[in-house]
Amino acid sequence: MPRQVLPNVDLVVAGEQREWEGVDMHSMPTLPAGKAFAPEKPVRIVRALPLVTLCAGLIALAANPHSIAAGGPTSCESLSSLVLPHTTITSSQSVAAGGFMPPASPGRAGGPGGGGQAFAELPAFCRVAATLAPSSDSDIRVEVWLPVVGWNGKFEAVGNGGFAGSISYPAMAQALRRGYATSSTDTGHSGGGANFAMGHPEKLIDFGYRSVHEMTVAAKAIVGAFYGSGPQQSYFNGCSTGGRQALQEAQRFPSDFNGIIAGAAPHLQPQFLSGVVWIGQAALKDPGSSIPRTKYPAIHTAVLASCDALDGLKDGLIDDPTRCHFDPKVLQCQGNEGAECLTATQVEAARKIMAPESRTGSEVFLGLERGGELGRGGLTGGPEPNGDGIGQFKYIVFENPNWVPNNGGEQ
């Protein structure tokens, strides 16, 4: 696809993964043909805000409105007879205020959370469930929620987390409480692992980008049928996998949304998950390399002591981690091991975690920037590397459920 500037779209991107900033997507390696779902062309970023701001709430972004032509409004229950391309409406029912109980989630929803109290505070709404089948192997489940009163005239689609596999009910609840018509999808499979993709290339495409677009098209049509006119503004809001979904929407389907919130986006997901496995191997390849969670505060304190003042202000923050060249060897234990020092093997593991992985001659993963140590326990706490990274290699790259990370080999 040719490079282009996105028309009529405000794109907000945020995240704490500075290692991705400035990387030319076109220079990065991809998985074999048919297996990659990395972006196809660069994105024009018009605004950047802190991740916590984006993932915690909604941002109203204005652009040229567009709407779906429709007749008069209709009842909730009558939406079950709505006919849309490759779409089956499986249910449409009115839900009383505070009456929604979410089903058990088989996957990871992602996006802004809420919990039981958030559902108890929901206003009355029309709940529509549908199954989309844009390919012969597609089974994309979506839900669309429509406020019965107080609709703000806008539509907000919400994203997922990890390998998805479930409807993002908490994020939908947050949007509904603010007056939005909202929708979410399980991206075409059930459960939070990558095993759905093995032998199912169409399902991988659904997960990669197609499910969100198809959901958006169907949801706008349902909104138009219910209210008698389509949304005046349409937004997408997602973090993590939802952030990647946001970037895919901006690049592949720029007319789907007027505004897009892309938080914590692993925009090169194959490379990111490869890096996750690399980090796990560096820290877990032998018991002596493992860095306990209790030691990361000491590492972080030492990093701040070394690099906090580089920007001229000592404020507990590292303004530009790329200027920080802290070497964890300064923390190597001089005697007995303790909580404030690292063994020699732990020093080497910490160095690898912070360094680029480029054995093939090109950087697959740029390492974790100095300053983010307090959030690394989940990637290095073991006993095995992160499950999403392992799943990518098992079910997408090698299509071998028995694959294990062992210096890149199979067992």
Side-chain angles (χ1 to χ4, degrees):
M1 298 179 68
R3 300 186 183 211
Q4 65 183 34
V5 176
L6 306 179
N8 303 328
V9 177
D10 282 342
L11 173 63
V12 174
V13 181
E16 297 174 350
Q17 299 169 336
R18 284 179 175 263
E19 61 268 28
W20 295 120
E21 293 182 7
V23 175
D24 182 357
M25 297 179 190
H26 294 270
S27 69
M28 298 295 286
T30 60
L31 297 178
K35 297 184 183 296
F37 36 83
E40 292 190 349
K41 53 181 176 291
V43 178
R44 178 169 62 94
I45 301 176
V46 301
R47 191 177 307 167
L49 293 174
L51 171 61
V52 66
T53 301
L54 296 179
C55 291
L58 303 174
I59 298 177
L61 302 174
N64 296 334
H66 61 279
S67 60
I68 302 172
T74 187
S75 69
C76 179
E77 283 67 24
S78 65
L79 290 175
S80 61
S81 61
L82 186 64
V83 177
L84 301 172
H86 48 256
T87 299
T88 301
I89 306 292
T90 55
S91 70
S92 57
Q93 56 182 341
S94 298
V95 180
F100 175 72
M101 292 293 294
S105 174
R108 275 179 283 177
Q117 184 63 29
F119 298 126
E121 296 173 353
L122 288 181
F125 66 98
C126 173
R127 180 187 180 192
V128 180
T131 300
L132 313 181
S135 79
S136 60
D137 197 27
S138 295
D139 185 27
I140 303 168
R141 308 297 175 90
V142 306
E143 288 201 19
V144 183
W145 292 3
L146 308 155
V148 173
V149 295
W151 180 45
N152 61 15
K154 302 172 185 178
F155 165 66
E156 180 191 347
V158 298
N160 302 88
F163 277 107
S166 65
I167 302 290
S168 299
Y169 291 116
M172 292 183 73
Q174 186 178 88
L176 186 73
R177 290 199 310 273
R178 295 173 181 246
Y180 290 82
T182 183
S183 69
S184 175
T185 175
D186 66 359
T187 73
H189 63 278
S190 178
N195 55 313
F196 72 91
M198 191 171 72
H200 296 277
E202 293 294 332
K203 289 186 180 297
L204 184 59
I205 292 172
D206 288 337
F207 168 74
Y209 63 90
R210 185 166 57 193
S211 60
V212 173
H213 171 64
E214 295 290 338
M215 170 198 72
T216 301
V217 172
K220 287 182 179 180
I222 292 170
V223 170
F226 183 67
Y227 294 113
S229 62
Q232 296 176 350
Q233 302 285 344
S234 297
Y235 306 118
F236 185 89
N237 183 11
C239 292
S240 190
T241 288
R244 179 189 61 77
Q245 292 168 331
L247 296 182
Q248 288 284 344
E249 275 292 308
Q251 294 167 47
R252 294 177 181 270
F253 310 104
S255 63
D256 277 0
F257 298 103
N258 302 105
I260 290 174
I261 301 172
H267 62 271
L268 295 168
Q269 185 160 334
Q271 288 85 346
F272 172 73
L273 291 181
S274 297
V276 165
V277 175
W278 163 250
I279 291 169
Q281 286 182 299
L284 304 171
K285 68 178 182 178
D286 64 64
S289 299
S290 179
I291 303 175
R293 292 174 184 260
T294 54
K295 290 195 175 188
Y296 279 105
I299 301 174
H300 184 65
T301 298
V303 170
L304 289 179
S306 176
C307 301
D308 182 8
L310 290 177
D311 60 356
L313 178 65
K314 192 159 184 154
D315 57 357
L317 300 172
I318 299 177
D319 180 68
D320 182 2
T322 63
R323 295 175 57 199
C324 180
H325 304 292
F326 169 81
D327 186 348
K329 187 172 177 61
V330 301
L331 290 175
Q332 185 166 328
C333 300
Q334 301 303 310
N336 295 330
E337 180 182 0
E340 302 298 317
C341 66
L342 301 175
T343 66
T345 53
Q346 289 172 344
V347 167
E348 290 307 308
R351 282 175 165 174
K352 289 182 178 180
I353 291 170
M354 296 176 180
E357 163 54 14
S358 56
R359 278 181 291 176
T360 61
S362 62
E363 291 182 347
V364 176
F365 183 70
L366 304 186
L368 296 179
E369 294 289 5
R370 292 157 176 82
E373 295 76 24
L374 296 181
R376 291 182 187 168
L379 294 177
T380 61
E384 296 180 350
N386 177 271
D388 285 344
I390 298 297
Q392 172 179 268
F393 283 97
K394 278 186 176 183
Y395 302 111
I396 300 176
V397 177
F398 295 110
E399 296 188 319
N400 175 9
N402 297 317
W403 181 88
V404 295
N406 180 27
N407 295 323
E410 294 183 50
Q411 290 184 350

